[in-house]
Amino acid sequence: MKASEIELAEAIGDDHISAALETPMVENAFDLSDDEKILQIEHHFAEIMKTMGLDLTDDSLQGTPRRVAKMYIKEVFTGLDPKNKPSVALFKNKYKYKEMLVEKNITVKSFCEHHFVPIIGMAHVAYISNGNVIGLSKINRIVQYYAKRPQVQERLTVQIANELKKILKTEDVAVIIDAKHMCVSMRGVEDETSSTVTSSYHGKFQNDEKKQELFKYMD
Ligand SMILES: [Zn+2]
């Protein structure tokens, strides 16, 4: 990269300017098995630690590269792999419930893709059934799946909304996320108290009346 490009890339990362809707991934992202990925990350993370001057022969540090590699592939970034996408069964809404359903205060634990430090907060998800419903815990699972990626909050919000629209076969979906970014509190401006709110309103949620109803339930 040229110096001007590096400067721009750093500025974009710091300002969290939103990226494309799809998580940017290379075509051969799944050529390696999970075990092969863990081995490679273990090697590279050890190099990072050594570069910083850490002694990897120390008892306390020697297991860290492998621990980090396993955490990335088996825990915090499992949402990158479509094989981990939750399967969601759609049920007929037999009780004819046609009102708004709000699932609020869903824990969001993600990672900022610009700094690889945590984003922690809450998601509030709403939909209006058009005759189909899903199990309530599935909403949490969908949030978790998309959160377990390196993310920008804006993209996470829209990805969850789009997935729910697809599954529920309705446009009437709303997602709000309120989260704290460790890249804002631990570094950069080091602000402890600010949080970021993003929203994605679709279908009937684009009209003010439905929005107000949703806000009422969230109070
Ligand atoms: Zn960040």
Side-chain angles (χ1 to χ4, degrees):
M1 277 202 278
K2 282 183 285 184
S4 59
E5 288 170 340
I6 292 172
E7 215 169 282
L8 178 65
E10 285 182 357
I12 288 173
D14 257 2
D15 285 343
H16 281 224
I17 293 167
S18 193
L21 175 58
E22 294 294 323
T23 299
M25 296 194 76
V26 293
E27 246 169 67
N28 59 355
F30 303 104
D31 285 3
L32 295 177
S33 69
D34 283 359
D35 288 340
E36 288 167 326
K37 286 179 185 176
I38 288 170
L39 272 177
Q40 286 204 12
I41 295 169
E42 179 182 0
H43 165 76
H44 292 296
F45 202 80
E47 292 303 312
I48 291 173
M49 292 175 70
K50 284 183 211 162
T51 305
M52 291 194 296
L54 291 163
D55 179 3
L56 278 145
T57 65
D58 185 273
D59 277 351
S60 174
L61 295 181
Q62 62 180 354
T64 301
R66 179 146 192 94
R67 219 174 280 120
V68 170
K70 280 173 74 179
M71 175 181 75
Y72 277 9
I73 298 300
K74 297 283 190 194
E75 295 174 300
V76 298
F77 296 135
T78 50
L80 286 174
D81 192 336
K83 78 170 188 290
N84 298 319
K85 196 164 171 174
S87 61
V88 179
L90 201 59
F91 301 100
K92 278 279 154 234
N93 179 356
K94 288 196 183 122
Y95 26 87
K96 308 272 186 244
Y97 183 79
K98 291 223 173 74
E99 301 302 317
M100 187 183 300
L101 182 147
V102 185
E103 180 84 355
K104 60 183 188 179
N105 302 333
I106 300 169
T107 303
V108 170
K109 294 180 203 156
S110 191
F111 273 74
C112 154
E113 72 179 19
H114 299 136
H115 301 95
F116 269 57
V117 292
I119 299 171
I120 309 272
M122 299 279 191
H124 314 288
V125 173
Y127 72 90
I128 300 165
S129 170
N130 70 349
N132 301 304
V133 289
I134 56 176
L136 289 180
S137 68
K138 297 296 183 184
I139 298 174
N140 303 57
R141 295 217 182 274
I142 291 163
V143 170
Q144 273 173 8
Y145 172 71
Y146 286 101
K148 283 176 181 262
R149 297 176 174 190
Q151 277 287 13
V152 289
Q153 189 176 321
E154 296 93 322
R155 187 203 292 129
L156 173 61
T157 311
V158 179
Q159 285 181 338
I160 294 165
N162 284 348
E163 183 66 21
L164 284 164
K165 284 197 314 187
K166 206 161 64 181
I167 293 171
L168 289 159
K169 301 188 170 70
T170 178
E171 282 295 307
D172 304 331
V173 167
V175 178
I176 299 167
I177 297 179
D178 184 352
K180 283 181 173 290
H181 292 238
M182 293 305 131
C183 60
V184 175
S185 60
M186 292 175 61
R187 53 160 296 288
V189 292
E190 298 196 27
D191 184 301
E192 301 288 336
T193 50
S194 67
S195 69
T196 305
V197 180
T198 47
S199 58
S200 187
Y201 299 112
H202 304 262
K204 291 179 185 147
F205 286 99
Q206 284 178 328
N207 82 48
D208 266 345
E209 205 184 314
K210 284 291 165 204
K211 264 186 213 168
Q212 292 310 322
E213 187 184 342
L214 171 60
F215 297 159
K216 201 177 69 199
Y217 297 137
M218 284 174 41
D219 266 343

